[in-house]
C-alpha cells in the first residue's frame, strides 16, 4: 500500500469522512489519521479474538496500543469484532462476545462509553429469505442461538449490527436481477407483498432484511450499518461466466448509484427515519497484478490511480479531484487549467465553445475578431480560452472540465500553449 500519509491525503482530497480499517493496522496509519477529522472504525483481527477473550490484560494491551495511544486526535468511533467471524465458524461466538465484553470494560475504564461503540459484522449468508421479501427474512436456524447472545450484547450500549453485502454475489447465485443488484435507476421495483413496501435496489432490501431478522428475535432498536458493499471491476480467474458482469463499466455505474442513494440521506421503507451508514468495499485493490485468484473491488490501485471515474459529489468526479491533487504535488499549487483535449475534433470543440460562450457565461470577448486573444484563429485555441474561462469562474461551485470529452485539465497556462 502507499505510505500512510499519502493515503490520508487522498482521503481528505476526496472528502471521505468515515473509514473502516481491516486486519492488523500498522501504528503509522493511525498516526497519519491524527487531526484529519476522519472517523475511524477499527477491526480486531480474527486471529486476535481468542486471546482477547481469554485475558483482560491482553484486551487492555490491545486497547492501549490501538486506541489510547492515538485517541482523541485520531477519531476512533467504533471497534468491530473480527470480519464475519461468526459466519466462518459459529463456534467462535462465545469468544467473540467475551472479547467484546473485555474491550467494552477497557472503554468504560477510559471513560469513553459515549465515544466508542463495539460491534460485529455478519455476512448475508446468515440470513434466510433475505432480499426477495425483506419482511420474511430471518436468521438461519443454525445461527439463531449464537445471534441472540450477540444481540443481547449489542443492545444495552447503543451499539449497531454490521452487515456485509455483496450485490455481485447475490446477482450470480441468489437470483437477483442485475439492475436490482446494482440499484440501477432502471431496476424493476420489488414489492414486499406483506408490507406493500417497494424496493428498487438490493441495498435497502438487505438492510430491511436485517431489521426483520432482529425483530423476529425480539430486538427492534439496534441500528444496522453496512460494513462492506461494492461491485468488482474484474472477476476472478476461476469464474467461468462468459458474460461476467464484473466490468469497469458496471463497477462505475454501481458506485454512482450508491453515492446517489447515500447522498439522498433517506431511510429504508421499513425504517424511513433512519439514514443508512455505508462503507464501500474497497478503497485499494489489495492483490498484485499477477494474482487472478480473487475479484477486484478496489476504487484505486495501490499507486493511487482511479480504476474508473464516478462522481463523489454533484458535478465533481474523483478523477478530477485526484488530478487537482497531482497538480499540487507537482508544485503548481493545485492550479489547474481547462483546455481543449488533444485529438478533439473541430465539430466537438465547436459545440463546447458555443456552450461555454453562451449558456456557460464564459468571457469570450478576447477571442472575438480583433480581440487580444483572437490569434491563433483555431478551434483548439479558442475552445481552450473559453473552456478555461468557464472553468475558473465556476470550479468553486463544482464545475467540471469535460465538455463531452473535448476538454482536459493541465498544469500549463493555456496562454503558454501553442496551437
Amino acid at each position: 500500500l502507499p505510505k500512510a500519509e499519502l493515503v490520508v491525503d487522498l482521503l481528505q482530497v476526496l472528502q471521505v469522512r468515515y473509514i473502516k480499517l481491516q486486519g492488523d493496522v500498522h501504528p503509522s496509519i493511525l498516526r497519519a489519521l491524527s487531526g484529519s477529522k476522519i472517523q475511524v472504525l477499527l477491526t480486531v483481527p480474527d486471529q486476535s479474538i481468542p486471546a482477547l477473550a481469554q485475558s483482560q490484560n491482553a484486551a487492555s494491551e490491545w486497547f492501549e496500543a490501538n486506541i489510547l495511544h492515538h485517541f482523541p486526535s485520531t477519531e476512533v468511533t467504533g471497534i468491530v469484532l473480527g470480519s464475519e467471524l461468526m459466519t466462518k465458524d459459529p463456534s467462535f461466538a462465545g469468544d467473540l462476545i467475551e472479547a467484546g465484553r473485555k474491550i467494552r470494560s477497557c472503554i468504560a475504564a477510559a471513560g469513553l462509553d459515549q465515544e466508542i461503540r463495539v460491534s460485529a459484522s455478519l455476512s448475508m449468508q446468515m440470513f434466510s429469505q433475505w432480499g426477495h421479501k425483506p419482511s420474511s427474512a430471518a436468521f438461519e436456524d443454525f445461527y439463531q442461538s449464537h445471534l441472540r447472545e450477540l444481540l443481547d450484547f449489542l443492545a444495552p450500549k447503543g451499539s449497531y449490527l454490521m452487515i456485509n453485502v455483496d450485490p455481485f454475489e447475490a446477482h450470480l447465485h441468489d437470483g437477483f436481477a442485475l439492475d436490482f443488484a446494482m440499484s440501477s435507476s432502471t431496476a424493476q421495483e420489488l414489492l414486499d407483498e406483506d408490507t406493500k413496501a417497494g424496493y428498487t435496489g438490493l441495498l435497502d432490501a438487505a438492510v430491511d432484511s436485517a431489521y426483520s431478522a432482529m425483530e423476529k428475535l425480539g430486538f427492534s432498536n439496534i441500528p444496522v450499518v453496512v460494513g462492506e458493499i461494492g461491485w468488482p471491476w474484474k472477476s476472478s480467474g476461476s469464474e467461468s461466466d462468459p458474460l461476467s458482469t464484473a466490468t469497469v463499466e458496471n463497477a462505475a455505474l454501481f458506485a454512482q448509484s450508491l453515492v446517489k442513494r447515500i447522498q439522498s440521506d433517506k431511510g429504508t421503507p421499513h425504517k424511513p427515519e433512519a439514514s443508512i451508514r455505508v462503507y464501500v468495499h474497497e478503497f485499494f485493490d489489495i492483490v498484485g497484478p499477477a494474482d487472478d485468484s480473487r475479484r477486484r473491488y478496489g476504487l484505486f490501485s495501490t499507486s493511487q490511480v482511479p480504476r474508473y471515474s464516478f462522481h463523489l459529489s454533484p458535478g465533481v468526479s474523483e478523477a478530477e479531484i485526484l488530478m487537482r491533487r497531482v497538480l499540487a504535488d507537482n508544485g503548481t499549487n493545485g492550479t489547474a487549467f481547462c483546455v481543449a483535449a488533444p485529438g478533439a475534433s473541430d465539430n466537438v470543440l465547436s459545440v463546447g465553445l458555443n456552450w461555454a460562450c453562451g449558456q456557460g457565461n464564459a468571457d469570450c470577448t478576447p477571442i472575438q475578431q480583433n480581440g487580444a486573444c483572437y490569434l491563433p484563429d483555431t478551434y483548439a485555441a479558442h475552445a481552450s480560452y473559453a473552456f478555461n474561462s468557464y472553468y475558473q469562474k465556476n470550479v468553486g461551485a463544482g464545475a467540471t472540465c469535460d465538455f463531452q470529452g473535448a476538454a482536459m485539465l493541465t498544469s500549463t497556462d493555456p496562454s503558454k500553449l501553442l496551437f
Side-chain angles (χ1 to χ4, degrees):
L1 290 176
K3 290 183 178 179
E5 293 79 8
L6 293 177
V7 175
V8 174
D9 184 33
L10 179 57
L11 290 169
Q12 290 182 305
V13 167
L14 297 172
Q15 302 174 35
V16 172
R17 296 167 52 202
Y18 310 96
I19 62 170
K20 180 164 72 82
L21 300 176
Q22 297 271 106
D24 286 310
V25 178
H26 195 275
S28 63
I29 297 176
L30 295 170
R31 287 196 297 269
L33 286 162
S34 176
S36 67
K37 299 189 182 302
I38 297 172
Q39 296 186 16
V40 180
L41 290 187
L42 196 58
T43 303
V44 181
D46 289 353
Q47 64 271 21
S48 299
I49 294 293
L52 301 191
Q54 292 168 16
S55 168
Q56 184 63 57
N57 286 339
S60 298
E61 289 173 5
W62 183 92
F63 186 77
E64 183 173 352
N66 291 279
I67 309 295
L68 291 184
H69 279 182
H70 307 281
F71 192 91
S73 56
T74 298
E75 298 183 31
V76 178
T77 59
I79 297 170
V80 185
L81 303 169
S83 179
E84 301 182 2
L85 189 56
M86 289 180 65
T87 307
K88 299 169 186 173
D89 188 345
S91 68
F92 275 106
D95 277 353
L96 185 145
I97 294 167
E98 189 55 39
R101 290 193 180 106
K102 287 181 168 58
I103 290 174
R104 192 174 274 171
S105 295
C106 297
I107 294 172
L112 299 176
D113 300 76
Q114 300 304 311
E115 287 81 8
I116 300 176
R117 298 285 185 264
V118 180
S119 184
S121 62
L122 304 181
S123 162
M124 297 310 293
Q125 296 174 20
M126 301 183 75
F127 298 81
S128 64
Q129 301 184 54
W130 75 276
H132 292 283
K133 188 179 180 183
S135 65
S136 295
F139 293 115
E140 294 281 5
D141 292 342
F142 181 68
Y143 297 107
Q144 285 205 16
S145 62
H146 301 296
L147 287 168
R148 188 184 298 277
E149 188 177 1
L150 173 64
L151 297 176
D152 273 330
F153 168 74
L154 297 177
K157 297 292 184 178
S159 294
Y160 42 83
L161 179 69
M162 186 165 281
I163 60 171
N164 295 342
V165 185
D166 190 339
F168 179 74
E169 185 72 17
H171 165 61
L172 285 185
H173 301 297
D174 295 327
F176 291 99
L178 178 62
D179 284 355
F180 187 83
M182 293 179 63
S183 300
S184 169
S185 59
T186 59
Q188 182 176 350
E189 183 180 75
L190 182 152
L191 181 66
D192 188 317
E193 296 178 356
D194 288 349
T195 63
K196 305 305 179 186
Y199 294 85
T200 56
L202 191 67
L203 172 62
D204 287 53
V207 171
D208 277 357
S209 293
Y211 279 125
S212 294
M214 287 194 289
E215 288 167 5
K216 288 180 175 62
L217 293 183
F219 298 89
S220 58
N221 295 313
I222 299 177
V224 173
V225 171
V226 179
E228 291 182 14
I229 190 169
W231 195 276
W233 58 268
K234 184 180 179 182
S235 64
S236 72
S238 63
E239 286 171 346
S240 58
D241 179 6
L243 301 175
S244 175
T245 52
T247 64
V248 168
E249 293 77 13
N250 281 343
L253 288 171
F254 175 81
Q256 195 57 53
S257 295
L258 182 64
V259 169
K260 183 178 179 180
R261 172 65 185 87
I262 300 309
Q263 287 178 343
S264 72
D265 202 32
K266 294 179 180 177
T268 64
H270 187 61
K271 294 274 189 178
E273 74 288 353
S275 58
I276 306 176
R277 173 71 58 83
V278 170
Y279 292 86
V280 178
H281 177 73
E282 56 193 351
F283 198 67
F284 289 113
D285 283 319
I286 57 175
V287 293
D291 185 357
D292 285 328
S293 64
R294 66 182 291 272
R295 299 168 188 158
R296 310 293 186 90
Y297 286 82
L299 300 178
F300 290 85
S301 70
T302 53
S303 58
Q304 303 181 76
V305 175
R307 290 299 188 185
Y308 46 84
S309 181
F310 65 93
H311 296 285
L312 289 172
S313 57
V316 181
S317 73
E318 102 294 336
E320 182 168 358
I321 296 174
L322 181 63
M323 179 62 179
R324 294 180 201 168
R325 175 187 177 220
V326 171
L327 294 171
D329 289 345
N330 288 340
T332 61
N333 296 319
T335 303
F337 302 95
C338 185
V339 300
S345 69
D346 285 350
N347 286 339
V348 174
L349 290 173
S350 176
V351 172
L353 174 62
N354 290 336
W355 186 91
C357 294
Q359 187 177 341
N361 293 317
D363 177 12
C364 295
T365 301
I367 56 175
Q368 301 301 314
Q369 193 166 10
N370 299 321
C373 298
Y374 178 69
L375 297 176
D377 181 17
T378 65
Y379 276 113
H382 288 185
S384 291
Y385 188 96
F387 291 172
N388 193 56
S389 173
Y390 164 79
Y391 182 75
Q392 300 302 334
K393 287 172 64 176
N394 297 286
V395 64
T400 60
C401 177
D402 183 66
F403 292 94
Q404 296 184 337
M408 70 174 193
L409 287 173
T410 178
S411 59
T412 304
D413 189 328
S415 67
K416 296 179 173 60
L417 294 172
L418 297 176
F419 296 95

